[in-house]
Amino acid sequence: MKRVLSAPDKSAVLPGDPDRQKRIAVPLGRSNLIACLLIVAAGTVIVLPAIVYGFPNGDDADVHYRWATQFTEALREQGVVYPRWLGTANNGQESPAMLYYPPLPLYVVTAFNLILKDVLQSLALSCSLSMVLSGLTMYVFSRSLVSPWLSLFAGLLYMIAPYHIFDLYQRAALSEFWSFVWLPLVLHAICRVAKGGGLLDVAYLAVSYALLLFSHLLISFALTLLLLFFIPLLTTNLFRLFRGVSGLALGTGISGAIVAAVLRGDG
């Protein structure tokens, strides 16, 4: 008898097979979800002492408590969207702190305070949210480079980094603590633009850089100096370099209210 060789089922082996791609995507999607849930749980545990016992009495705790209280009062009583002066500071003599100090962390504290009516607890919950988000953003950045489980390790390591913990429990540096959230996003956006990303990636870079500027100016300045060397290492394509610089410039423009005040020396 002659052996009849049937044609192989190409649909079962072709890499571009949609069913095969779906079978791969389901485990990856499940892995991403599990990793993110573990990051949320770990971040909550790390900040649990601050939630239970209150905002740490660190080096800058009294400053952030006063500013958060006065910032909330300015939003509530004066009805301004972006308070530039703290009217009840210094025994009613006011303070120009918001002319040069980035406001984003105080907006988060105010949002919690409007619900809880407790500034210290709102500060603690703000830091808890920041810790969790920092782990998730590092996971997003790492996920573009390595597997879900290595990205999970990177996110956990980022959250428990000694200076990150020190920033909360010893320094109580609210604004610098929030800057950890946006650093991975800026780097992720830069990588996407350097790989040939389109206008959406430029917008992603602009927004993430603006959020960093609205959180902490010194960290933003330090990162900008790093990017001057980092971006040319990723690409030497002039068009991509132009898009990267454009994204940073656009982010600076979005946060122009605080950047312009600092450049003018209003503080």
Side-chain angles (χ1 to χ4, degrees):
M1 295 179 60
K2 294 183 179 180
R3 295 181 60 186
V4 178
L5 298 178
S6 59
D9 183 3
K10 295 182 179 180
S11 63
V13 296
L14 287 177
D17 174 29
D19 292 334
R20 180 177 181 275
Q21 292 177 350
K22 289 179 181 178
R23 290 195 297 271
I24 294 174
V26 170
L28 283 179
R30 189 180 298 116
S31 298
N32 287 329
L33 177 60
I34 293 173
C36 290
L37 290 176
L38 289 174
I39 288 174
V40 171
T44 302
V45 170
I46 293 170
V47 191
L48 191 59
I51 297 175
V52 174
Y53 299 107
F55 189 63
N57 187 23
D59 299 337
D60 297 338
D62 57 337
V63 173
H64 290 302
Y65 175 80
R66 291 198 305 270
W67 285 0
T69 301
Q70 294 152 7
F71 193 83
T72 302
E73 291 175 355
L75 283 172
R76 182 186 299 148
E77 297 175 6
Q78 299 175 17
V80 293
V81 177
Y82 180 10
R84 307 305 304 271
W85 288 78
L86 302 179
T88 60
N90 301 319
N91 294 321
Q93 298 301 310
E94 304 184 350
S95 169
M98 292 299 103
L99 286 174
Y100 59 87
Y101 207 87
L104 189 146
L106 293 178
Y107 278 117
V108 179
V109 175
T110 297
F112 281 115
N113 193 35
L114 291 175
I115 300 172
L116 301 175
K117 311 298 182 183
D118 186 328
V119 175
L120 285 176
Q121 193 64 24
S122 298
L123 285 165
L125 288 176
S126 169
C127 290
S128 178
L129 178 61
S130 172
M131 177 64 80
V132 169
L133 288 178
S134 69
L136 292 174
T137 55
M138 177 54 75
Y139 179 82
V140 169
F141 174 43
S142 301
R143 189 66 190 86
S144 65
L145 304 172
V146 295
S147 68
W149 302 118
L150 285 176
S151 300
L152 170 62
F153 177 74
L156 294 175
L157 190 64
Y158 188 60
M159 288 192 297
I160 64 172
Y163 187 76
H164 201 178
I165 303 297
F166 179 82
D167 227 20
L168 173 61
Y169 287 104
Q170 181 61 37
R171 297 191 61 236
L174 179 67
S175 293
E176 188 173 85
F177 195 71
W178 263 94
S179 71
F180 284 96
V181 176
W182 316 120
L183 290 172
L185 292 185
V186 175
L187 295 176
H188 184 223
I190 283 289
C191 290
R192 290 175 65 96
V193 172
K195 290 179 180 178
L199 294 179
L200 285 179
D201 293 308
V202 175
Y204 174 31
L205 173 59
V207 171
S208 57
Y209 188 63
L211 290 170
L212 180 61
L213 285 167
F214 269 121
S215 298
H216 199 279
L217 288 174
L218 289 180
I219 296 295
S220 302
F221 177 71
L223 179 65
T224 304
L225 291 179
L226 173 64
L227 292 179
L228 294 178
F229 301 94
F230 182 63
I231 298 176
L233 290 177
L234 296 176
T235 180
T236 56
N237 183 290
L238 291 179
F239 182 68
R240 296 178 184 180
L241 288 172
F242 173 76
R243 282 195 163 183
V245 173
S246 298
L248 296 174
L250 182 58
T252 303
I254 294 173
S255 55
I258 186 68
V259 174
V262 173
L263 293 177
R264 291 197 308 265
D266 289 349

